[in-house]
Amino acid sequence: MANPVVVEIRRGSLVESRHRGSIAVVDTEGSLVLALGDVDALVYPRSAITAMQALVLMEAGAAERFQLGDEALALACASHGGEPGHVAVAEQMLAAAGLDASALECGVHWPSHAASAHALARSGRTAAAVHNNCSGKHAGFICASRALGVDHRGYTDPAHSVQRAVKAVLQDLTGVQIPDERRAIDGCSVPTWAIPLKALARGFARFGSGKGMEPGRVRAAQRLRKACAANPWHVAGTGRFCTAVMEQLGERVFVKTGAEGVFCGAFPELGLGVALKVDDGAARASEVAMAGVIERFVPLGDEDRAALGRLLHPTLRNWNGIEVGAIAPAP
Amino acid sequence: MANPVVVEIRRGSLVESRHRGSIAVVDTEGSLVLALGDVDALVYPRSAITAMQALVLMEAGAAERFQLGDEALALACASHGGEPGHVAVAEQMLAAAGLDASALECGVHWPSHAASAHALARSGRTAAAVHNNCSGKHAGFICASRALGVDHRGYTDPAHSVQRAVKAVLQDLTGVQIPDERRAIDGCSVPTWAIPLKALARGFARFGSGKGMEPGRVRAAQRLRKACAANPWHVAGTGRFCTAVMEQLGERVFVKTGAEGVFCGAFPELGLGVALKVDDGAARASEVAMAGVIERFVPLGDEDRAALGRLLHPTLRNWNGIEVGAIAPAP
């Protein structure tokens, strides 16, 4: 059975393209509040679980030991645009741990924020690992290694203490035992573990509400959520969906995108978690689908509704700025 | 009914993402040789029909009048990467018509070829309309206007002589009358006309084989095909699918990509035309689907088969160059 169409791309009078997907909204007990498509399917969460990965950093005591502020904690939960402000905080995290950017094992790519990439080139410099959208998460893994007293080198290896701890956190929050063969390699070389979509949503219900987690983990999760809500630009960047949502809705909504059309989130006050996957991997669709879920579940004021409306119904403009179509949730 | 899955994205031991789509392979009479999914669906061909748009340039006598060489004719059929060599030929075309880049109405974007974008920024310059992937096609529209003796200004307007001529060519080749309300605006501001997928394929069967076209148009189409086969780099650019296919297979295969997952092509010796559309608009899937169609229909030597195999089964590597998955035609 094909998953339903969740997002449409309209141009002129026609639907030009269609995105199918599955959406799970779940409470802390794991009961489905919304299920669209195959919510039992195994999904690699990719970077949608950065905040769960960052729990390892918190529980290792790295935030205290290296005096990581809220900007650094938000960056540890980020897939950032490689803008100068992102890069600076990643470098500060590494320096706090007595290291530098040569410790990063995420690989190199140009800033995904186009203007920052052009400015970097204009200045005569070139891309480095700190510009990788995962450099904050990796700086976090490195700080966690140091706080745990283990060699940070090889921190992307599934056998490294930090990655073993990440797997344990994922299993605890999602309530799913993850066999070793469900492991693949992420874009930034860390392991990514396949988890049923609805279990991922349950993990975020717990992460957001604190229900079903031990007290130390509740405090760690709360600190990460507050850091992201206070510094949404550090979680993504200029013009980005995660940033826009958390700038507007603050602590009421935690959202994090992942590669290949994955999006996860939590509505802490409601005790709900969300996980969704667009079949074809398109971010333009996972964003609109997540905006639709937020609109459906989160009580919104007029300003919230207006801001969310722009994310839920993006206008497509061409290179001359002419409106040529729209992205919209499927009817 | 959902279209079938045509391309899979594999990571680790799982299929991570799936692309559905429809594929039509048709002979010059319009008989379907292969039909996958809904081949009657209306599709905006976008830039997959640049070669049909360029027939207007040829039939206006612009190639002779402005002494446009094969590189220019290939660029008129292109969605190029904005590499310096592409930009130079676009500027030559405009100069031949007594104009310059200020005549372009395609809008501005940075070169899609990343290294060229970085080099442009590094040199202290910024993006201009000549870097737009459609600047060669637009230079062609401008040359056509001048050759027709009409004002080139407003050449992107549906009422302009050049766009009316494009519509007439499309109707003639596809055998479909296109109502005015089936018009939308393309990324570069020219009209794009919705056409049933199988009619689009028929149009390319005719374009490739010459069958069912008047003699002047047969010669024009042949000159354009030969220009593209001889200059495949000018049709797309470094590292691009259309370029790789035509570099390897020469005049045996004409292919041209369009936005939103459209791909069109012709197998002239076989008298067949191809049109395919990936539902979700992903180019990574439309390319693999087109490679699959070529492998199925075109007689290939060992070298051809090896080259095509790399396009049919791309390896996915992460930022550290580690193999993390693959793109493959659905089983």
Side-chain angles (χ1 to χ4, degrees), chain A residues 15-325:
Chain A
V15 174
E16 184 170 29
S17 295
R18 290 168 179 81
H19 298 277
R20 294 172 182 273
S22 44
I23 305 177
V25 182
V26 167
D27 66 20
T28 54
E29 303 305 311
S31 300
L32 283 159
V33 177
L34 173 74
L36 214 65
D38 181 6
V39 296
D40 296 311
L42 289 169
V43 167
Y44 294 119
R46 311 294 299 274
S47 284
I49 50 148
T50 43
M52 294 182 181
Q53 291 168 317
L55 282 174
V56 171
L57 160 84
M58 300 301 295
E59 295 176 4
E64 287 72 32
R65 172 140 175 218
F66 301 119
Q67 299 191 292
L68 301 178
D70 279 359
E71 289 185 356
L73 296 183
L75 200 78
C77 298
S79 295
H80 63 71
E83 301 179 61
H86 299 133
V87 170
V89 175
E91 286 172 342
Q92 286 160 20
M93 294 169 74
L94 292 162
L99 294 164
D100 62 25
S102 65
L104 292 170
E105 298 180 8
C106 49
V108 172
H109 66 73
W110 283 81
S112 64
H113 181 249
S116 295
H118 300 146
L120 187 69
R122 199 171 291 121
S123 74
R125 288 174 296 157
T126 190
V130 278
H131 302 111
N132 187 307
N133 67 326
C134 292
S135 70
K137 177 173 81 176
H138 280 244
F141 286 141
I142 290 166
C143 288
S145 303
R146 302 283 276 182
L148 291 169
V150 301
D151 191 348
H152 66 278
R153 288 172 296 182
Y155 70 86
T156 53
D157 193 286
H160 189 277
S161 310
V162 163
Q163 300 305 336
R164 291 213 313 272
V166 166
K167 190 185 180 199
V169 166
L170 288 175
Q171 291 186 145
D172 178 49
L173 266 67
T174 63
V176 169
Q177 288 302 303
I178 309 171
D180 256 358
E181 67 270 20
R182 288 202 191 149
R183 187 182 72 224
I185 304 169
D186 211 330
C188 63
S189 290
V190 298
T192 185
W193 302 93
I195 297 171
L197 193 72
K198 69 180 183 193
L200 258 181
R202 182 186 193 182
F204 275 91
R206 288 175 164 176
F207 176 83
S209 67
K211 285 180 194 156
M213 294 198 301
E214 55 186 77
R217 187 159 288 175
V218 173
R219 284 192 298 276
Q222 194 173 45
R223 171 118 197 250
L224 289 172
R225 282 195 295 105
K226 283 182 183 292
C228 292
N231 300 278
W233 182 84
H234 288 84
V235 179
T238 305
R240 293 273 301 275
F241 181 92
C242 290
T243 299
V245 167
M246 293 193 283
E247 269 179 353
Q248 182 64 39
L249 300 176
E251 290 183 36
R252 289 180 285 161
V253 170
F254 174 84
V255 285
K256 182 64 187 66
T257 189
E260 288 296 332
V262 176
F263 228 117
C264 289
F267 307 146
E269 295 169 358
L270 307 175
L272 298 176
V274 189
L276 65 87
K277 165 83 171 90
V278 172
D279 290 0
D280 57 74
R284 66 180 180 182
S286 65
E287 292 175 357
V288 166
M290 180 53 91
V293 172
I294 294 170
E295 192 203 33
R296 176 152 170 184
F297 286 96
V298 180
L300 298 170
D302 287 349
E303 253 187 52
D304 298 337
R305 195 165 292 281
L308 197 69
R310 290 188 287 275
L311 301 173
L312 190 57
H313 295 280
T315 299
L316 292 175
R317 293 185 184 278
N318 73 6
W319 299 113
N320 283 316
I322 299 168
E323 184 171 337
V324 294

Side-chain angles (χ1 to χ4, degrees), chain B residues 243-256:
Chain B
T243 299
V245 167
M246 292 191 284
E247 268 178 353
Q248 182 64 40
L249 300 176
E251 291 182 38
R252 287 179 286 161
V253 170
F254 174 84
V255 285
K256 180 63 186 67

Side-chain angles (χ1 to χ4, degrees), chain B residues 9-49:
Chain B
I9 311 298
R10 297 174 191 158
R11 181 177 295 262
S13 57
L14 296 181
V15 174
E16 184 170 28
S17 296
R18 290 169 178 82
H19 297 277
R20 294 174 181 272
S22 44
I23 304 176
V25 182
V26 168
D27 66 19
T28 53
E29 303 304 311
S31 300
L32 283 158
V33 178
L34 173 74
L36 215 64
D38 181 6
V39 296
D40 295 311
L42 288 170
V43 166
Y44 293 120
R46 310 293 298 273
S47 284
I49 50 148

Side-chain angles (χ1 to χ4, degrees), chain B residues 125-138:
Chain B
R125 288 173 297 157
T126 190
V130 278
H131 302 110
N132 186 307
N133 68 327
C134 293
S135 69
K137 178 174 77 176
H138 280 244

